[in-house]
Amino acid sequence: MSSNAIPPQDALSSSGQRVALGVTGGIAAYKAAEVLRGLQRAGCRVRVAMTEHATRMIAPLTFRALSGEHVIVDDYAPDNPDPIAHITFSQTVDLLLIAPATANILAKFAHGIADDFLTSTYLACTAPVLVAPAMNTIMWQHPATRRNLSQLRADGVHIIEPDAGEMACGTFGPGRLSEPERIVTAALAMLGETNNPANWRELDLKAERILITAGATREEIDPVRFISNRSSGRMGFALAEAARARGAEVTIVAGITSVEPPAGVRVVRAPSAAEMLEAVTHEVTNSTVFIGAAAVADYRVASPSAHKLKKSNQIFTLVLEPTPDILASVSGARHDELLVIGFAAESDDLLKHAREKLARKNLDAIVANDITRDGAGFDSATNIVTLLARDRTEPIALPKLSKLETAHRILDEVVRLRSTPAEHGAFGSAKTSHPA
Ligand code: CTP
């Protein structure tokens, strides 16, 4: 990084925030010095902790000279001025940043192993955590590392994906530590507005064109009456807002909604299932990700009346026919690049039904929610969802979160799936869903 790549201090809010910088034993450990300097120029106070292996790559003295603070490697060491350093260190910081993060440290964090100062600090830390992994491409792509990263994401850890390029070992591929200036920018974004999850991620979706369905559909009975459901559009709109904040180009095909769509996204209105299918079929050809968050009516009136139906004292029967399954139709005609994510709203046997929909509709991932739980489902500001993916046997059960934070977790899964080779059709060809 050139020295003028680091933002000058007066260009940034003078945060005076406290960052714990953890340095682990990768070849890129020397770049942590640039990260430290960048954070200092932005007005942060930085203290450094190193793993034993990192000290073989770069001397603690370098960080001591740059930070002006004691560098902790072993909190039992006689020269450590603080006898319970892992507690005080971890609880007096505004951000714990690990750069570079080796495959080993990711594995330890993911499993809660606390066998040295840095891992104990992570477990005792109440501040947000940001990790910048760096490792050999094969190690980065290893299923064990993918699993550990998924676990860390599910635990709320923020990850700066490594860059692709020539590695120290001479191979090409992803695994190289992200540029120090990007790490500094991501850290400052987290420090700047830690209450706003949109600021916790970098622009990791800027290459994506995301199409999202949202809201309820309305199926006409006659000119004044209709069949619909309670969906507000909040979950679909939260996905759109989060995707937009992460750099994606976003189009929403919205049915009937009771809240405003977010700024900066294109909205196409499609009130009925048939109109939604038509709009989606048209838009999806230009999309790289499709997320079906709409509550599409499963039935419509077979012959809607052109005139207002008159009241009588007789029992009245409406004849209903199934609507098209938009999600299954998209995945059945998908192009190679397209990731297809669905939702499963269930009131019983959540995982069984969700797994069945994931397979039957040939999806990359499905977001399952038990609509009977307090704080989940329709017309609520929060959600409680479980994520299932085509390449993962274990579901990820998320806690009760705002719909915006839930949206970010779903998009983290999109980012992960994008870097995982697809085997579409692994579940057989998609069929049109049965109505419910
Ligand atoms: N979906 C769709 N078109 C339909 C029905 C559903 O695109 N006609 C999509 C929803 O947007 C959601 C997923 O399919 O992403 C699952 O919807 P859900 O209502 O949970 O399941 P159904 O397939 O309708 O099955 P059931 O109602 O029997 O649970």
Side-chain angles (χ1 to χ4, degrees):
M1 180 173 66
S2 65
S3 58
N4 60 6
I6 297 172
Q9 185 167 351
D10 56 7
L12 296 152
S13 61
S14 168
S15 56
Q17 306 236 50
R18 300 156 305 172
V19 178
L21 174 61
V23 182
T24 70
I27 305 283
Y30 70 96
K31 292 189 184 172
E34 291 182 55
V35 173
L36 188 158
R37 297 291 288 148
L39 289 167
Q40 285 176 328
R41 285 179 200 202
C44 299
R45 179 180 163 203
V46 187
R47 294 180 66 192
V48 177
M50 300 175 76
T51 60
E52 187 65 43
H53 283 152
T55 64
R56 303 200 195 159
M57 306 288 180
I58 181 168
L61 191 58
T62 303
F63 294 111
R64 182 167 184 182
L66 292 175
S67 70
E69 306 258 6
H70 176 75
V71 172
I72 308 173
V73 179
D74 172 10
D75 47 345
Y76 298 109
D79 65 337
N80 176 13
D82 181 350
I84 48 161
H86 67 282
I87 302 295
T88 37
F89 190 88
S90 59
Q91 289 172 9
T92 55
V93 294
D94 301 300
L95 176 73
L96 174 60
L97 164 64
I98 314 296
T102 57
N104 184 46
I105 203 81
L106 298 179
K108 285 185 177 178
F109 283 1
H111 290 88
I113 294 169
D115 63 352
D116 65 3
F117 177 70
L118 188 55
T119 47
S120 310
T121 295
Y122 169 74
L123 269 197
C125 189
T126 48
V129 181
L130 177 64
V131 299
M135 66 198 73
N136 162 279
T137 302
I138 294 168
M139 293 170 81
W140 173 248
Q141 290 170 338
H142 195 283
T145 305
R146 312 313 303 166
R147 241 182 358 254
N148 292 333
L149 286 164
S150 300
Q151 183 59 54
L152 291 175
R153 284 197 175 97
D155 294 344
V157 172
H158 303 279
I159 295 159
I160 304 178
E161 298 276 320
D163 291 337
E166 189 180 0
M167 310 289 292
C169 52
T171 57
F172 283 84
R176 201 170 65 179
L177 183 70
S178 181
E179 285 305 315
E181 72 215 60
R182 288 182 64 213
I183 297 172
V184 171
T185 305
L188 294 176
M190 285 177 71
L191 287 166
E193 218 182 319
T194 46
N195 287 332
N196 181 356
N199 289 331
W200 289 12
R201 278 86 177 177
E202 49 169 350
L203 299 178
D204 55 359
L205 292 170
K206 61 178 181 298
E208 306 287 355
R209 293 181 302 281
I210 304 190
L211 178 63
I212 300 166
T213 62
T217 64
R218 179 178 282 182
E219 311 301 331
E220 289 196 356
I221 298 171
D222 69 13
V224 291
R225 303 177 180 99
F226 53 79
I227 298 172
S228 192
N229 61 63
R230 291 174 192 277
S231 174
S232 61
R234 279 196 180 85
M235 192 64 241
F237 287 171
L239 279 160
E241 182 181 343
R244 178 80 194 82
R246 291 164 73 163
E249 203 181 296
V250 181
T251 299
I252 305 175
V253 174
I256 307 301
T257 54
S258 53
V259 291
E260 284 301 305
V265 305
R266 197 162 74 87
V267 181
V268 177
R269 287 286 171 184
S272 69
E275 288 162 305
M276 195 173 270
L277 176 65
E278 192 185 333
V280 164
T281 308
H282 176 70
E283 298 291 338
V284 79
T285 51
N286 187 38
S287 306
T288 58
V289 180
F290 175 75
I291 307 179
V296 185
D298 289 327
Y299 288 103
R300 65 184 166 207
V301 179
S303 309
S305 169
H307 308 285
K308 185 180 173 216
L309 294 168
K310 286 291 169 201
K311 182 170 63 182
S312 84
N313 289 331
Q314 303 300 305
I315 286 179
F316 179 73
T317 306
L318 271 179
V319 178
L320 303 180
E321 65 179 15
T323 56
D325 191 311
I326 299 164
L327 185 61
S329 150
V330 167
S331 81
R334 66 161 84 198
H335 54 83
D336 282 350
E337 194 192 8
L338 189 71
L339 292 174
V340 183
I341 319 289
F343 274 73
E346 308 295 344
S347 57
D348 57 277
D349 272 342
L350 181 74
L351 291 181
K352 179 171 161 276
H353 289 307
R355 279 205 179 94
E356 184 273 324
K357 281 178 194 171
L358 178 76
R360 175 165 49 89
K361 302 195 190 194
N362 195 17
L363 307 176
D364 294 289
I366 196 156
V367 183
N369 62 345
D370 179 345
I371 51 167
T372 62
R373 289 180 73 179
D374 250 7
F378 293 138
D379 208 10
S380 158
T382 56
N383 214 345
I384 310 169
V385 306
T386 299
L387 305 179
L388 292 104
R390 57 167 152 78
D391 59 342
R392 187 210 294 289
T393 43
E394 282 306 304
I396 298 180
L398 298 181
K400 177 151 98 177
L401 296 169
S402 70
K403 284 195 168 164
L404 187 59
E405 182 57 22
T406 304
H408 275 294
R409 301 297 183 92
I410 296 165
L411 294 173
D412 287 346
E413 196 64 1
V414 168
V415 171
R416 187 190 69 78
L417 283 161
R418 178 60 78 209
S419 59
T420 311
E423 279 182 49
H424 297 134
F427 302 110
S429 59
K431 291 180 292 182
T432 302
S433 164
H434 66 90

